[in-house]
């Protein structure tokens, strides 16, 4: 039998990209190989004790294989003697206590491995394509010397010198193929499932070779019923049909003549190739059938191959598998770091806000993957859990930062919110013995019986989803010892203390009576004081679905834009504009303040506008009020710059500023037009001063 006919020829480029790690665990059913194209091979090797799962009910079919682990597989597959390893280790990195020691020594003794030089085997290194080729050529006992000169791969120069002859021999024998782009990629790594598939095929074919049996499936000729002596075998292939002579053979019945042995060998291989899917429909799951078809074809003689005919469908299928595996390798290369990034995230219960950058990075990297790459990443439940926790933690953090309680020390009730910024708030007392002072369920405060001012610590539990935190807020409940000093404001008729912001120069037109300016053209100019823009309305402007004000405003704005374009003015920096709403339109300057102006001129400006000059206004702080409140130790500058809807709102604003400055006083509502400042205790003397003091308080 020729070497090319040996079972090792079933190897393809993809089959040499695998890795397998045996483990000493029970052979429980494997949960992650149902979609593997090598499922049957994996189960067969497990049943024979050659390989095992990873100990967690999985096989990890797409992970890499290391050199010492492949030595174990080859040693078991070739039934090498593992019972008498040498006393002294051959390699420095595979000591006697190494789990692969006996297998590595046996494989070295059998000539399958030669090591990496300097007494190093290369334990822990992933197996490469060129190493695999050398191992199998060694297993065949082939002398590859000088064959390296026949290599035609475009990257042949990248094949290691020590491996070139073996790679060439492996290619010549059909053990391994290159890629469709003409490269060999000697350093490519492999998967566990491919190693399992190759090992089973190697073992089966080797068994056949040892027994001298042919490799491709051969359909035997039909056994005639009579005569018992077979007819002479024709020298050329003949169809399996009755003889054209018309007579029935002796012994009764019609006999099927013997088929040419070459034809009998070729027909099932031809049918096997024909049954392969078209190249466009090839999937990775078709690989075992393609590898098997190639093995059966390569095992034929030249005469049998001639009877098979063209094998373009097989070579196209092999190319498709190589392309799919190359893409799968790229997908895995992209998916692996993302999978590791997600795996490195803390469990949901351990997530902290400081993990947010890592979670955000993992999500960004995952979202940038293609769908096939995302499939290889697998379950991202850990990422989504982390994102949920980060969201909840952020809600809690914001709520905690914004949660405040305003209490002046003497009010009979304190407002305890049940929600804040999307989080729920529950309240407890740090000292439950103070429940007679503050009723946490109603917020009522009882000062009767207090001999001195008492600090009460309220504990807020802030929760959102799975996240929660607490915040302690201390209020001082004042003892009933006498009346503290109070300062009452004047009656305030208007609670509007807001700032009036600067405005644009803006002029609104009269109601537009017509948009037909064809018979009565209108001409006017618009100026900002530096440029003057002519507007000439001389056509009938159609309304379409718009109002008269909108179309005229749009036409005027077009003249402004055309002027800017004609004079090299960036439209993003233009100073004038026009816009229409309803039955009127407006012209305006983009700047604000008293320097902002629009001046109209020309013959017909009065047709559209009531006046020719429009100016903006400056910011107006005249309604703002400021006063100071001092308790003798701290001073708060109270600034009122908003419109307050009620006296309660005004009092709340004053109290926030008093508390921010640690002034020992609080504002209270007297009525809808007055408030008063109340000292926190009888020994505090309040003082009010500041620019607007006399406008708000009596002398």
């Amino acid at each position: 039998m020729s070497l090319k006919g040996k079972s090792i020829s079933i190897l393809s480029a993809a089959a040499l990209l695998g890795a397998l790690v045996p483990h000493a665990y029970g052979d429980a059913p494997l949960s992650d190989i149902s979609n593997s194209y090598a499922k049957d091979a994996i189960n067969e090797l497990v049943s024979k004790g050659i390989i095992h799962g990873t100990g967690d009910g999985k096989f990890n079919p797409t992970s890499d294989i290391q050199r010492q682990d492949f030595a174990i597989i080859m040693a078991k597959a070739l039934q090498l003697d593992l019972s008498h390893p040498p006393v002294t280790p051959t390699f420095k990195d595979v000591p006697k206590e190494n789990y692969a020691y006996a297998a590595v020594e046996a494989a070295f003794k059998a000539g399958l491995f030669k090591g990496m030089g300097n007494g190093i085997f290369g334990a822990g290194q992933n197996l490469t394509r060129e190493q695999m080729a050398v191992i199998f050529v060694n297993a065949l006992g082939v002398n590859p010397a000088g064959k390296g000169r026949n290599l035609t791969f475009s990257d042949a120069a990248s094949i290691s010198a020590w491996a070139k002859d073996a790679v060439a021999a492996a290619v010549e024998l059909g053990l391994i193929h290159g890629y469709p782009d003409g490269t060999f990629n000697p350093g490519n790594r492999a998967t566990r499932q491919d190693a399992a598939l190759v090992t089973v095929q190697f073992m089966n074919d080797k068994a056949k070779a040892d027994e001298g049996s042919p490799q491709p499936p051969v359909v035997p000729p039909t056994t005639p019923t009579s005569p018992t002596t077979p007819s002479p075998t024709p020298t050329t292939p003949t169809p399996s049909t009755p003889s054209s002579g018309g007579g029935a053979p002796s012994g009764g019945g019609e006999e099927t003549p013997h088929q040419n042995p070459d034809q009998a060998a070729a027909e099932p291989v031809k049918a096997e190739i024909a049954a392969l899917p078209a190249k466009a429909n090839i999937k990775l799951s078709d690989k075992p059938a393609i590898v098997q078809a190639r093995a059966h074809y390569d095992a034929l003689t030249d005469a049998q191959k001639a009877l098979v005919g063209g094998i373009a469908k097989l070579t196209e299928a092999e190319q498709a598998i190589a392309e799919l595996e190359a893409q799968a390798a790229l997908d895995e290369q992209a998916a692996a770091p993302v999978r590791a990034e997600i795996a490195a995230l803390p469990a949901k219960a351990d997530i902290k806000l400081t993990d947010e950058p890592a979670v955000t990075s993992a999500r960004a990297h995952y979202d940038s993957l293609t769908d096939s790459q995302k499939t290889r990443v697998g379950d991202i439940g850990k990422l989504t859990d982390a994102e949920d926790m980060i969201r909840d933690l952020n809600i809690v953090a914001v709520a905690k930062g914004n949660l405040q309680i305003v209490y002046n020390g003497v009010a009979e009730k304190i407002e305890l919110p049940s929600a804040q910024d999307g989080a729920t708030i529950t309240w407890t007392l740090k000292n439950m013995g103070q429940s007679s002072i503050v009723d946490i369920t109603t917020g009522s405060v009882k000062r009767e019986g207090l001999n001195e001012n008492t600090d009460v610590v309220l504990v807020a539990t802030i929760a959102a989803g799975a996240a929660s935190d607490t915040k302690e807020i201390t209020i001082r409940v004042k003892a009933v010892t006498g009346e503290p000093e109070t300062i009452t404001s004047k009656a305030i008729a208007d609670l509007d203390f807001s700032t009036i912001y600067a405005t644009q120069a803006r002029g609104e037109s009269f109601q537009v009576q017509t948009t037909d300016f064809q018979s009565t053209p209108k001409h006017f100019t618009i100026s900002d004081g530096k440029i003057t823009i002519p507007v000439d309305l001389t056509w009938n402007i159609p309304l379409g679905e718009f109002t008269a004000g909108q179309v005229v405003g749009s036409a005027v704005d077009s003249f402004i834009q055309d002027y800017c374009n004609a004079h090299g003015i960036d439209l993003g920096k233009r100073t004038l504009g026009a816009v229409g709403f309803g039955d009127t339109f407006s012209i305006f300057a983009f700047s604000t303040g008293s320097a902002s102006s629009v001046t109209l001129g020309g013959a017909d400006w009065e047709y559209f506008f009531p006046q020719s000059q429009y100016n903006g206004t400056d910011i107006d702080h005249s309604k703002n009020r400021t006063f100071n409140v001092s308790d003798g130790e701290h001073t708060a500058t109270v600034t009122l710059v908003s419109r307050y809807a009620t006296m309660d709102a005004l009092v709340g604003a004053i109290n926030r500023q008093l508390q921010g400055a640690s002034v020992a006083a609080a504002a209270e509502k007297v009525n809808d037009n007055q408030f008063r400042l109340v000292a926190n205790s009888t020994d505090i003397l309040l003082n009010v001063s500041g620019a607007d003091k006399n406008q708000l308080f009596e002398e």
Side-chain angles (χ1 to χ4, degrees):
M1 180 183 297
S2 68
L3 289 174
K4 195 171 184 180
K6 289 191 177 183
S7 63
I8 204 67
S9 66
I10 65 174
L11 297 177
S12 66
L16 292 179
L17 296 175
L20 189 62
V21 182
H23 288 271
Y25 293 97
D27 298 328
L30 302 172
S31 62
D32 61 344
I33 64 171
S34 59
N35 294 325
S36 172
Y37 54 77
K39 174 183 177 182
D40 293 339
I42 294 168
N43 284 329
E44 181 176 342
L45 290 179
V46 170
S47 69
K48 292 181 178 179
I50 293 178
I51 63 173
H52 302 274
T54 57
D56 54 0
K58 296 183 179 180
F59 182 73
N60 294 340
T62 61
S63 62
D64 295 337
I65 184 170
Q66 296 180 349
R67 286 170 53 83
Q68 73 274 13
D69 297 317
F70 197 72
I72 294 174
I73 295 170
M74 291 299 295
K76 290 185 177 182
L78 294 172
Q79 298 182 0
L80 301 180
D81 181 12
L82 304 180
S83 61
H84 299 88
V87 175
T88 303
T90 303
F91 300 104
K92 301 174 185 177
D93 56 340
V94 188
K96 294 176 66 176
E97 58 271 17
N98 189 289
Y99 68 91
Y101 177 66
V104 168
E105 293 292 350
F108 172 69
K109 183 177 180 181
L112 304 182
F113 291 82
K114 293 184 171 60
M116 312 294 286
N118 296 323
I120 299 300
F121 176 75
Q125 297 184 21
N126 293 316
L127 199 67
T128 65
R129 281 168 50 80
E130 65 180 11
Q131 292 172 358
M132 188 84 88
V134 172
I135 292 168
F136 279 103
V137 168
N138 290 342
L140 284 173
V142 174
N143 181 4
K147 294 188 178 292
R149 67 174 65 96
N150 299 326
L151 290 171
T152 60
F153 297 113
S154 60
D155 60 347
S158 67
I159 301 174
S160 301
W162 51 266
K164 281 188 176 180
D165 287 346
V167 169
V171 172
E172 181 179 316
L173 292 171
L175 308 183
I176 190 168
H177 304 282
Y179 289 90
D181 62 358
T183 62
F184 180 74
N185 293 323
N188 272 16
R189 300 185 305 188
T191 68
R192 289 166 59 86
Q193 60 189 352
D194 289 323
L197 182 65
V198 172
T199 302
V200 167
Q201 292 170 333
F202 171 68
M203 291 171 62
N204 291 343
D205 211 49
K206 182 176 183 303
K208 293 177 183 178
D210 292 343
E211 295 169 3
S213 59
Q215 298 314 304
V218 177
V219 178
T222 304
T223 304
T225 56
S226 98
T228 57
T229 304
S231 305
T233 301
T235 58
T236 59
T238 58
S240 301
T241 58
S243 170
S244 60
S250 60
E254 186 177 36
E255 176 188 354
T256 302
H258 284 283
Q259 188 180 36
N260 183 309
D262 284 344
Q263 189 73 28
E267 285 301 326
V269 179
K270 183 176 182 180
E272 190 175 18
I273 293 174
L276 296 175
K279 182 178 180 180
N281 299 325
I282 290 291
K283 300 179 178 62
L284 280 175
S285 57
D286 297 316
K287 179 179 176 180
I290 296 168
V291 171
Q292 178 174 287
R294 168 57 70 181
H296 291 163
Y297 178 79
D298 287 348
L300 299 177
T301 65
D302 290 341
Q304 293 165 349
K305 289 179 179 177
L307 294 174
V308 171
I311 61 168
K313 196 171 187 181
L314 173 58
T315 56
E316 287 178 353
E318 290 174 325
Q319 291 173 356
I321 286 295
E323 291 167 3
L324 288 172
E325 290 192 321
Q327 184 58 53
L330 292 174
D331 288 345
E332 177 60 23
Q333 186 177 7
V338 179
R339 185 168 55 244
E341 189 175 16
I342 293 174
L345 295 175
K348 183 176 182 178
D350 299 325
I351 287 287
K352 299 179 178 60
L353 275 178
T354 53
D355 299 312
E356 185 170 12
V359 175
T360 301
S361 173
R363 167 57 68 181
H365 292 159
Y366 179 79
D367 286 347
S368 69
L369 298 178
T370 64
D371 289 343
S372 59
Q373 291 166 351
K374 288 178 180 176
T375 299
R376 288 186 168 270
V377 170
D379 181 25
I380 62 167
K382 195 172 188 181
L383 172 58
T384 56
D385 283 348
E387 289 174 324
D388 291 344
M389 195 63 174
I390 289 293
R391 180 199 62 230
D392 294 342
L393 287 170
N394 274 313
I395 291 173
V396 169
V398 170
K400 181 177 180 179
N402 292 337
L403 182 62
Q404 296 184 51
I405 293 299
V406 176
Y407 182 67
N408 62 10
V410 297
E412 295 180 355
K413 188 175 180 62
I414 181 170
E415 294 297 329
L416 300 176
S418 60
Q420 176 78 41
D421 297 306
T424 60
I425 312 296
T426 56
W427 295 90
T428 57
L429 290 172
K430 187 171 184 178
N431 179 1
M432 293 304 297
Q434 295 178 328
S435 59
S436 60
I437 303 174
V438 177
D439 184 344
I440 210 68
T441 60
T442 63
S444 62
V445 180
K446 296 180 180 179
R447 301 168 59 217
E448 293 78 4
L450 289 181
N451 296 321
E452 58 183 13
N453 294 343
T454 303
D455 288 336
V456 177
V457 180
L458 309 174
V459 180
T461 299
I462 308 162
S468 66
D469 199 355
T470 60
K471 181 176 184 178
E472 294 186 357
I473 300 177
T474 301
I475 63 171
R476 171 158 291 187
V477 181
K478 297 178 181 178
V480 182
T481 58
E483 292 299 324
E485 180 185 15
T486 63
I487 300 176
T488 303
S489 73
K490 293 180 179 180
I492 304 172
D494 187 358
L495 300 182
D496 182 4
F497 302 102
S498 59
T499 299
I500 300 174
Y501 292 96
T503 63
Q504 301 168 293
R506 187 182 190 92
E508 184 175 3
S509 74
F510 297 123
Q511 184 176 5
V512 177
Q513 301 298 323
T514 180
T515 62
D516 183 359
F517 302 105
Q518 187 169 359
S519 57
T520 57
K522 300 298 179 185
H523 307 277
F524 64 95
T525 62
I526 307 171
S527 174
D528 65 354
K530 294 182 179 179
I531 61 174
T532 300
I533 301 173
V535 178
D536 300 300
L537 301 176
T538 60
W539 72 100
N540 184 8
I541 307 175
L543 287 175
E545 298 179 356
F546 301 97
T547 66
Q550 287 176 319
V551 299
V552 174
S554 177
V556 173
D557 196 64
S558 295
F559 279 102
I560 297 172
Q561 294 188 42
D562 289 344
Y563 180 91
C564 291
N565 288 330
H567 291 79
I569 300 173
D570 186 346
L571 289 179
K573 298 179 180 179
R574 63 180 175 137
T575 58
L576 295 171
V579 66
F581 297 97
D583 293 329
T584 65
F585 70 95
S586 298
I587 54 169
F588 58 88
F590 283 98
S591 61
T592 60
S594 58
S596 173
S597 69
V598 175
T599 302
L600 302 172
D604 300 311
W605 70 265
E606 292 178 292
Y607 175 81
F608 291 106
F609 295 94
Q611 61 190 61
S612 62
Q613 181 72 36
Y614 297 94
N615 294 297
T617 61
D618 294 323
I619 191 168
D620 182 359
H621 296 285
S622 61
K623 291 184 178 182
N624 299 164
R625 295 291 181 266
T626 301
F627 62 93
N628 301 323
V629 180
S630 174
D631 62 4
E633 182 178 357
H634 300 98
T635 300
T637 299
V638 178
T639 303
L640 305 178
V641 293
S642 301
R643 177 192 292 271
Y644 301 99
T646 64
M647 179 57 68
D648 288 325
L650 174 60
V651 166
I654 295 172
N655 276 327
R656 283 190 290 273
Q657 296 180 66
L658 292 175
Q659 290 179 353
S662 300
V663 173
E668 295 179 354
K669 174 181 174 180
V670 176
N671 53 49
D672 289 342
N673 300 107
Q674 283 183 294
F675 68 90
R676 65 181 180 182
L677 302 174
V678 181
N680 287 357
S681 64
T682 56
D683 58 346
I684 293 176
L685 182 63
L686 297 180
N687 179 56
V688 178
S689 61
D692 300 314
K693 176 228 177 182
N694 293 335
Q695 297 183 46
L696 295 171
F697 298 95
E698 299 292 346
E699 290 292 340

